[in-house]
Amino acid sequence: MAASIFTRIINGEIPCHKVYEDDRVIAFLDINPLSPGHTLIVPKEPAETVDKLSDESASAIGRVLPRISRAVLAATGAKAFNILQNNGAGAHQAVFHVHFHIIPKFESGQGLGIGWKPGKLEDGAALASRIAAAI
Ligand code: AMP
């Protein structure tokens, strides 16, 4: 399978505005930001979606998410932000290499807009036990 655009960034074949790197993770500015400071945190492991990601890469991402979030807030002056993580074309994923978006939200409204239409939980006990059994 062809290397994803993020693997090519990790390999230095494509430039990026890098803000962080360690042995398992890279973070850089999104090329089409929803707001100033929109940053992508990417595991170097080329998993397509988060359900395929190793525990080691997941831990490495989790370890730096708060630190990079704080840095984005400090650098932009934003007081709020969203972390977005899309999996699958049906869920708006365009680059098939796991990534977490950090998207500052400004009082002007700039940032992530969310269409959220909550339903009513039904058969919660059965569903929860099916999910728990699958973990
Ligand atoms: P998603 O819809 O979650 O897959 O988002 C993919 C994101 O990657 C989009 O926000 C793009 O703007 C961003 N993106 C694509 N190519 C690049 C690139 N070369 N450098 C930085 N960000 C990129």
Side-chain angles (χ1 to χ4, degrees):
M1 204 177 60
S4 75
I5 192 147
F6 292 166
T7 292
R8 298 186 65 202
I9 287 174
I10 290 162
N11 292 341
E13 296 162 21
I14 292 179
C16 71
H17 292 291
K18 184 164 69 180
V19 302
Y20 176 84
E21 184 170 15
D22 65 31
D23 56 341
R24 289 192 183 274
V25 176
I26 190 169
F28 48 86
L29 295 181
D30 195 293
I31 204 167
N32 292 127
L34 285 183
S35 61
H38 183 165
T39 298
L40 301 176
I41 302 183
V42 182
K44 292 186 175 176
E45 179 185 340
E48 286 192 5
T49 51
V50 92
D51 50 294
K52 298 189 173 112
L53 192 64
S54 68
D55 287 356
E56 290 73 22
S57 291
S59 301
I61 294 268
R63 198 167 52 236
V64 297
L65 257 178
R67 208 188 319 162
I68 298 174
S69 298
R70 284 192 292 275
V72 170
L73 293 178
T76 62
K79 300 271 184 285
F81 66 105
N82 293 97
I83 292 179
L84 176 69
Q85 204 281 312
N86 300 324
N87 297 279
H92 217 277
Q93 185 177 12
V95 176
F96 291 89
H97 184 140
V98 170
H99 52 282
F100 288 71
H101 299 255
I102 296 177
I103 308 169
K105 184 80 178 181
F106 293 92
E107 281 170 16
S108 64
Q110 225 181 350
L112 181 68
I114 300 179
W116 189 287
K117 295 181 190 153
K120 192 170 180 308
L121 180 61
E122 282 170 17
D123 296 325
L127 183 56
S129 66
R130 276 210 307 283
I131 295 170
I135 291 173

